[in-house]
Amino acid sequence: IPSDEGTAVSVVVKLKKWNVRYVAVLHINDAYGNAFADGIRYAANQLDDGDGRKLTVVNVNIDSGADDAAIRNAIQQLKATQYTYFFGVLTFSVLDRVMIEAYHQQIAGTGLHTWLFSDSLGSAVTRRGFARGTPLERAFRGSGKLTAT
C-alpha cells in the first residue's frame, strides 16, 4: 500500500498529465489529511515536466466535525483562488455538506470546475444515486476519484 506521500505523487503526475497548473486541496485537519495535502504540495514542488512550470497548490483544511459556518468559510477560500480544479481529502461526514456549499457558491456543478477526491472515500463518490437535478447531483457532475494504481 503506498504511503500518503506516494499516493500524492500519483495524483500530481495525473494532474500534470492533464496540463493542470493550479489545484486547491481541501483536506481534513488530521494526520491522514495533513500528510496527503503536504505530500501533494511537496510532489508538485519536486516534479518538473521539463517546461519549467510547476503545479501550484493551495491547501485549505477543515475539521472532520466542521459546522456549516466552517465549511462555508473553507469553500469561500477555495472560490477566492479562482482555480477550476479541486482535490478533496475528506471524510464522508463532511462530503455532502462540502459539495452542497460548493454548488451554492458556484464552484461545483457549473461545468467549469472539476472536483476530484482521494480514494479514502471509496464508493461515496462513484456509486451513489442522486435524484436528478438536486444540488448534490449537480455538485457531483464531473467529479471523480483518483487512486494510486
Side-chain angles (χ1 to χ4, degrees):
I1 297 175
S3 69
D4 301 331
E5 293 85 3
T7 304
V9 169
S10 298
V11 169
V12 169
V13 167
K14 180 60 78 177
L15 291 171
K16 289 176 75 75
K17 184 176 179 180
W18 293 339
N19 294 316
V20 173
R21 294 295 176 209
Y22 304 93
V23 65
V25 178
L26 179 63
H27 66 92
I28 294 296
N29 187 17
D30 66 7
Y32 174 74
N34 293 332
F36 205 139
D38 289 346
I40 290 173
R41 178 175 280 164
Y42 179 79
N45 286 330
Q46 297 303 310
L47 295 175
D48 186 349
D49 54 10
D51 64 5
R53 296 187 302 176
K54 297 198 182 284
L55 178 66
T56 301
V57 179
V58 170
N59 288 344
V60 175
N61 70 63
I62 58 173
D63 292 327
S64 61
D67 63 13
D68 291 342
I71 290 172
R72 187 170 32 262
N73 181 52
I75 298 301
Q76 287 170 345
Q77 289 178 61
L78 297 179
K79 185 175 183 173
T81 66
Q82 299 184 353
Y83 292 0
T84 57
Y85 280 84
F86 303 100
F87 188 79
V89 184
L90 303 171
T91 59
F92 188 72
S93 64
V94 298
L95 177 63
D96 287 356
R97 291 185 299 133
V98 162
M99 293 308 291
I100 288 172
E101 185 60 34
Y103 173 76
H104 288 307
Q105 291 194 38
Q106 300 181 333
I107 62 167
T110 64
L112 302 173
H113 301 89
T114 301
W115 280 81
L116 303 166
F117 299 93
S118 66
D119 55 4
S120 63
L121 286 169
S123 61
V125 174
T126 59
R127 298 201 178 182
R128 293 176 63 196
F130 299 110
R132 190 160 178 76
T134 62
L136 266 180
E137 185 267 337
R138 290 179 179 176
F140 276 101
R141 284 184 192 170
S143 68
K145 177 178 73 169
L146 291 180
T147 61
T149 56

